[in-house]
mmCIF file of all heavy atoms in Angstrom:
data_model
loop_
_atom_site.group_PDB
_atom_site.id
_atom_site.type_symbol
_atom_site.label_atom_id
_atom_site.label_comp_id
_atom_site.label_asym_id
_atom_site.label_seq_id
_atom_site.Cartn_x
_atom_site.Cartn_y
_atom_site.Cartn_z
ATOM 1 N N TYR A 1334 5.590 6.994 -11.727
ATOM 2 C CA TYR A 1334 6.361 5.815 -11.342
ATOM 3 C C TYR A 1334 5.414 4.665 -11.006
ATOM 4 O O TYR A 1334 4.344 4.866 -10.413
ATOM 5 C CB TYR A 1334 7.214 6.110 -10.115
ATOM 6 C CG TYR A 1334 8.294 7.143 -10.322
ATOM 7 C CD1 TYR A 1334 8.093 8.474 -9.985
ATOM 8 C CD2 TYR A 1334 9.533 6.785 -10.850
ATOM 9 C CE1 TYR A 1334 9.086 9.432 -10.167
ATOM 10 C CE2 TYR A 1334 10.541 7.728 -11.038
ATOM 11 C CZ TYR A 1334 10.309 9.053 -10.692
ATOM 12 O OH TYR A 1334 11.301 9.994 -10.877
ATOM 13 N N GLY A 1335 5.825 3.463 -11.359
ATOM 14 C CA GLY A 1335 5.149 2.255 -10.912
ATOM 15 C C GLY A 1335 6.075 1.511 -9.963
ATOM 16 O O GLY A 1335 7.229 1.240 -10.314
ATOM 17 N N VAL A 1336 5.592 1.208 -8.763
ATOM 18 C CA VAL A 1336 6.441 0.599 -7.736
ATOM 19 C C VAL A 1336 5.723 -0.603 -7.146
ATOM 20 O O VAL A 1336 4.507 -0.560 -6.909
ATOM 21 C CB VAL A 1336 6.788 1.610 -6.623
ATOM 22 C CG1 VAL A 1336 7.850 1.043 -5.686
ATOM 23 C CG2 VAL A 1336 7.266 2.939 -7.215
ATOM 24 N N GLY A 1337 6.475 -1.665 -6.897
ATOM 25 C CA GLY A 1337 5.866 -2.869 -6.353
ATOM 26 C C GLY A 1337 6.566 -3.394 -5.127
ATOM 27 O O GLY A 1337 6.258 -3.031 -4.006
ATOM 28 N N ARG A 1338 7.561 -4.243 -5.337
ATOM 29 C CA ARG A 1338 8.166 -5.033 -4.255
ATOM 30 C C ARG A 1338 8.635 -4.213 -3.062
ATOM 31 O O ARG A 1338 8.401 -4.581 -1.921
ATOM 32 C CB ARG A 1338 9.334 -5.831 -4.836
ATOM 33 C CG ARG A 1338 9.996 -6.797 -3.856
ATOM 34 C CD ARG A 1338 11.008 -7.654 -4.590
ATOM 35 N NE ARG A 1338 10.371 -8.324 -5.726
ATOM 36 C CZ ARG A 1338 11.029 -8.830 -6.764
ATOM 37 N NH1 ARG A 1338 12.339 -8.715 -6.825
ATOM 38 N NH2 ARG A 1338 10.385 -9.437 -7.738
ATOM 39 N N SER A 1339 9.275 -3.077 -3.313
ATOM 40 C CA SER A 1339 9.842 -2.314 -2.194
ATOM 41 C C SER A 1339 8.772 -1.772 -1.263
ATOM 42 O O SER A 1339 9.054 -1.469 -0.099
ATOM 43 C CB SER A 1339 10.702 -1.160 -2.725
ATOM 44 O OG SER A 1339 9.910 -0.171 -3.356
ATOM 45 N N LEU A 1340 7.534 -1.668 -1.744
ATOM 46 C CA LEU A 1340 6.462 -1.121 -0.918
ATOM 47 C C LEU A 1340 5.885 -2.152 0.046
ATOM 48 O O LEU A 1340 5.146 -1.800 0.962
ATOM 49 C CB LEU A 1340 5.334 -0.594 -1.812
ATOM 50 C CG LEU A 1340 5.729 0.532 -2.776
ATOM 51 C CD1 LEU A 1340 4.532 0.964 -3.599
ATOM 52 C CD2 LEU A 1340 6.317 1.718 -2.020
ATOM 53 N N LEU A 1341 6.218 -3.417 -0.162
ATOM 54 C CA LEU A 1341 5.629 -4.484 0.637
ATOM 55 C C LEU A 1341 6.554 -5.014 1.728
ATOM 56 O O LEU A 1341 6.211 -5.968 2.420
ATOM 57 C CB LEU A 1341 5.207 -5.644 -0.272
ATOM 58 C CG LEU A 1341 4.077 -5.295 -1.245
ATOM 59 C CD1 LEU A 1341 3.883 -6.415 -2.250
ATOM 60 C CD2 LEU A 1341 2.780 -5.023 -0.493
ATOM 61 N N LYS A 1342 7.709 -4.395 1.895
ATOM 62 C CA LYS A 1342 8.624 -4.861 2.925
ATOM 63 C C LYS A 1342 8.091 -4.489 4.303
ATOM 64 O O LYS A 1342 7.743 -3.341 4.568
ATOM 65 C CB LYS A 1342 10.015 -4.261 2.705
ATOM 66 C CG LYS A 1342 10.697 -4.798 1.457
ATOM 67 C CD LYS A 1342 12.092 -4.238 1.294
ATOM 68 C CE LYS A 1342 12.768 -4.829 0.054
ATOM 69 N NZ LYS A 1342 14.134 -4.269 -0.151
ATOM 70 N N MET A 1343 8.055 -5.487 5.189
ATOM 71 C CA MET A 1343 7.534 -5.259 6.531
ATOM 72 C C MET A 1343 8.650 -4.736 7.425
ATOM 73 O O MET A 1343 9.555 -5.474 7.804
ATOM 74 C CB MET A 1343 6.967 -6.572 7.108
ATOM 75 C CG MET A 1343 5.820 -7.153 6.302
ATOM 76 S SD MET A 1343 4.387 -6.073 6.206
ATOM 77 C CE MET A 1343 4.470 -5.523 4.500
ATOM 78 N N LYS A 1344 8.605 -3.450 7.727
ATOM 79 C CA LYS A 1344 9.663 -2.809 8.499
ATOM 80 C C LYS A 1344 9.205 -2.352 9.881
ATOM 81 O O LYS A 1344 10.006 -1.873 10.674
ATOM 82 C CB LYS A 1344 10.191 -1.594 7.723
ATOM 83 C CG LYS A 1344 10.760 -1.930 6.355
ATOM 84 C CD LYS A 1344 11.192 -0.674 5.620
ATOM 85 C CE LYS A 1344 11.769 -1.003 4.255
ATOM 86 N NZ LYS A 1344 12.145 0.227 3.512
ATOM 87 N N ILE A 1345 7.923 -2.483 10.155
ATOM 88 C CA ILE A 1345 7.363 -1.944 11.394
ATOM 89 C C ILE A 1345 6.635 -3.047 12.139
ATOM 90 O O ILE A 1345 5.807 -3.761 11.564
ATOM 91 C CB ILE A 1345 6.402 -0.781 11.090
ATOM 92 C CG1 ILE A 1345 7.185 0.390 10.486
ATOM 93 C CG2 ILE A 1345 5.664 -0.333 12.349
ATOM 94 C CD1 ILE A 1345 6.328 1.501 9.947
ATOM 95 N N GLY A 1346 6.942 -3.189 13.411
ATOM 96 C CA GLY A 1346 6.273 -4.170 14.257
ATOM 97 C C GLY A 1346 5.593 -3.479 15.425
ATOM 98 O O GLY A 1346 6.149 -2.552 16.021
ATOM 99 N N PHE A 1347 4.401 -3.923 15.754
ATOM 100 C CA PHE A 1347 3.655 -3.353 16.878
ATOM 101 C C PHE A 1347 3.691 -4.285 18.077
ATOM 102 O O PHE A 1347 3.818 -5.511 17.937
ATOM 103 C CB PHE A 1347 2.202 -3.098 16.486
ATOM 104 C CG PHE A 1347 1.994 -1.773 15.799
ATOM 105 C CD1 PHE A 1347 2.293 -1.629 14.459
ATOM 106 C CD2 PHE A 1347 1.528 -0.674 16.499
ATOM 107 C CE1 PHE A 1347 2.126 -0.414 13.810
ATOM 108 C CE2 PHE A 1347 1.348 0.550 15.871
ATOM 109 C CZ PHE A 1347 1.644 0.680 14.533
ATOM 110 N N THR A 1348 3.573 -3.702 19.241
ATOM 111 C CA THR A 1348 3.513 -4.449 20.493
ATOM 112 C C THR A 1348 2.267 -4.046 21.261
ATOM 113 O O THR A 1348 1.972 -2.860 21.401
ATOM 114 C CB THR A 1348 4.752 -4.143 21.363
ATOM 115 O OG1 THR A 1348 5.924 -4.556 20.667
ATOM 116 C CG2 THR A 1348 4.668 -4.881 22.690
ATOM 117 N N GLY A 1349 1.562 -5.051 21.742
ATOM 118 C CA GLY A 1349 0.436 -4.813 22.636
ATOM 119 C C GLY A 1349 0.832 -5.226 24.042
ATOM 120 O O GLY A 1349 1.315 -6.338 24.252
ATOM 121 N N ASP A 1350 0.662 -4.331 24.993
ATOM 122 C CA ASP A 1350 1.014 -4.615 26.393
ATOM 123 C C ASP A 1350 -0.177 -4.342 27.302
ATOM 124 O O ASP A 1350 -0.808 -3.279 27.199
ATOM 125 C CB ASP A 1350 2.160 -3.712 26.873
ATOM 126 C CG ASP A 1350 3.517 -4.151 26.372
ATOM 127 O OD1 ASP A 1350 3.728 -5.364 26.277
ATOM 128 O OD2 ASP A 1350 4.350 -3.273 26.068
ATOM 129 N N SER A 1351 -0.457 -5.253 28.203
ATOM 130 C CA SER A 1351 -1.404 -4.964 29.275
ATOM 131 C C SER A 1351 -0.653 -4.175 30.343
ATOM 132 O O SER A 1351 0.345 -4.662 30.894
ATOM 133 C CB SER A 1351 -1.970 -6.260 29.871
ATOM 134 O OG SER A 1351 -2.883 -6.848 28.976
#
Side-chain angles (χ1 to χ4, degrees):
Y1334 295 96
V1336 189
R1338 185 173 305 160
S1339 69
L1340 299 180
L1341 294 171
K1342 292 183 178 179
M1343 299 299 108
K1344 301 177 180 178
I1345 294 171
F1347 275 80
T1348 298
D1350 283 324
S1351 287

